[in-house]
Amino acid sequence: MAIIRISDLEDPRLAPYTSIREKDLTKGHGGRFIVEGKVTLATLVQRSSFEIESLFLTESRLQPLSNLIEDLPGHVPIFVAAQSLMDHVAGFPVHRGVLACGVKGVPLGMEEVLRTSKTILVLIGLSNHDNVGACFRNATAFGADAILLDDQSCGPLYRKSIRVSAGTALTLPFVYGSSAQGIFQSVSRAGFDLWCLTPRLEATPISRLTRPDKLALVLGSEGPGLSDDLLGQGTPVRIPMVDDFDSINVATAGAIALSQVFKHFQAHGVP
C-alpha cells in the first residue's frame, strides 16, 4: 500500500480535495469526482468501473479499512492525515474520515446504453442533488438498467448525489448532458415507449397500463414538471392520490412507478 502521511495543509497532492463543497457547485471538477464514507468507498473499489486516483483518510480509519484498501491497485496513493487537517482541506467536517478521488473517464454513449437496456429512467430538469441520488438508489432497487439525465439536471457524480445514492451512482449505467428533446428522440428511435409521470388528472393511472417490452419512465423537475411539449411526445401517466393534493417528491414518484414495473416483471417471470 502506498501510504503517504500528510501534515501540510498546502500539500499540492491534496488539490482535488481542497474545498470540495465549492467544487460541487461547478460542473466538470477537472474530470474527477469525490466520494465520502466507507459504503461508497467500498462500492468504488469493489464494484465500480471508475478509475481511482487516490484515497484521503484520517489516521483512525486506516486500520479499520485495511481489508478494503488491500483491493486497491498498488499505484494508488493513500494520503493519511489528522482529522483536523482533513476538515480544513475539505472545507467542512468529514466525520467519517474517508474520502476518495475517482476519475470520470470516457462517458457511456447513448446508443450503447439504449441497445443493452429494457427499462430506463429519464430525469429532466432535476437540479437537486438529493433527488438525483435518490433516483439512482430507487432505480437500482427496482431493476432499471440505466438512467438518462438531461443537461439541466445536476450530475450524478457530485459528492452529495453519490452519497445519497448509497453508491449506486457508481454502478448503474448513465448518460448525462443531452437536451431533453435529444433524449426523447433517441429513446423513441430505439423503440422505447415513454411513460411521462405527471400529477394531471387526465393522465392514465399507471396501474392500468400494460408494461411494454422497452420502457422509459420520465420524471420532470419538482414544481413545473414536464412541459406540455414533452408530455405530448409520450404517454402521460399518473400515480393515483387523494383528492386536493398536488404531488409527491419526484424521487418518491419514481420509486412508486418503478415498483409497478418491477411487479410486472415478477408476475410474468421476467428476470
Side-chain angles (χ1 to χ4, degrees):
M1 294 182 288
I3 297 175
I4 302 170
R5 283 178 165 78
I6 303 291
S7 57
D8 182 3
L9 280 171
E10 304 301 323
D11 193 311
R13 292 171 294 189
L14 298 181
Y17 299 98
T18 302
S19 299
I20 56 177
R21 172 182 290 173
E22 285 71 30
K23 289 181 184 295
D24 276 350
L25 301 177
T26 60
K27 295 183 178 181
H29 190 31
R32 300 183 177 100
F33 61 91
I34 301 295
V35 304
E36 60 177 309
K38 180 180 177 181
V39 172
T40 49
L41 175 60
T43 301
L44 179 65
V45 173
Q46 298 173 339
R47 298 172 52 205
S48 168
S49 61
F50 290 104
E51 177 187 349
I52 304 171
E53 185 173 272
S54 65
L55 266 62
F56 186 18
L57 310 175
T58 59
E59 289 278 2
S60 63
R61 301 297 285 168
L62 187 58
Q63 181 57 40
L65 294 174
S66 59
N67 290 337
L68 184 60
I69 291 172
E70 288 175 355
D71 292 333
L72 287 170
H75 67 275
V76 175
I78 304 167
F79 303 122
V80 179
Q83 179 73 59
S84 58
L85 187 144
M86 174 181 271
D87 292 347
H88 280 293
V89 169
F92 66 99
V94 186
H95 299 295
R96 299 177 183 87
V98 178
L99 293 172
C101 179
V103 180
K104 293 178 180 178
V106 179
L108 295 173
M110 181 79 74
E111 291 185 4
E112 173 189 0
V113 168
L114 294 176
R115 186 174 61 251
T116 57
S117 300
K118 290 287 189 180
T119 305
I120 57 174
L121 185 65
V122 179
L123 307 182
I124 304 296
L126 266 66
S127 58
N128 181 284
H129 299 96
D130 296 82
N131 284 334
V132 169
C135 283
F136 268 80
R137 187 170 185 173
N138 296 336
T140 302
F142 293 112
D145 300 305
I147 292 184
L148 310 180
L149 306 95
D150 76 333
D151 52 6
Q152 299 305 304
S153 296
C154 61
L157 294 182
Y158 286 128
R159 178 179 56 85
K160 193 173 185 182
S161 297
I162 295 173
R163 187 182 73 239
V164 174
S165 80
T168 58
L170 303 174
T171 59
L172 186 65
F174 67 86
V175 179
Y176 171 58
S178 298
S179 67
Q181 189 60 51
I183 291 175
F184 269 57
Q185 290 174 352
S186 295
V187 169
S188 295
R189 282 198 304 266
F192 284 79
D193 284 15
L194 291 107
W195 288 4
C196 301
L197 271 291
T198 175
R200 299 183 185 187
L201 292 178
E202 64 268 23
T204 305
I206 191 169
S207 58
R208 296 182 186 174
L209 293 172
T210 300
R211 190 230 137 81
D213 179 54
K214 300 174 74 173
L215 174 63
L217 284 168
V218 187
L219 299 174
S221 60
E222 299 246 353
L226 295 168
S227 67
D228 290 340
D229 177 58
L230 292 178
L231 285 172
Q233 297 180 53
T235 301
V237 175
R238 66 181 174 89
I239 297 169
M241 293 180 284
V242 297
D243 294 338
D244 301 321
F245 192 79
D246 177 48
S247 64
I248 54 179
N249 170 266
V250 62
T252 302
I256 294 171
L258 287 164
S259 176
Q260 289 287 328
V261 175
F262 188 67
K263 287 178 182 178
H264 173 91
F265 276 149
Q266 290 184 311
H268 293 80
V270 179

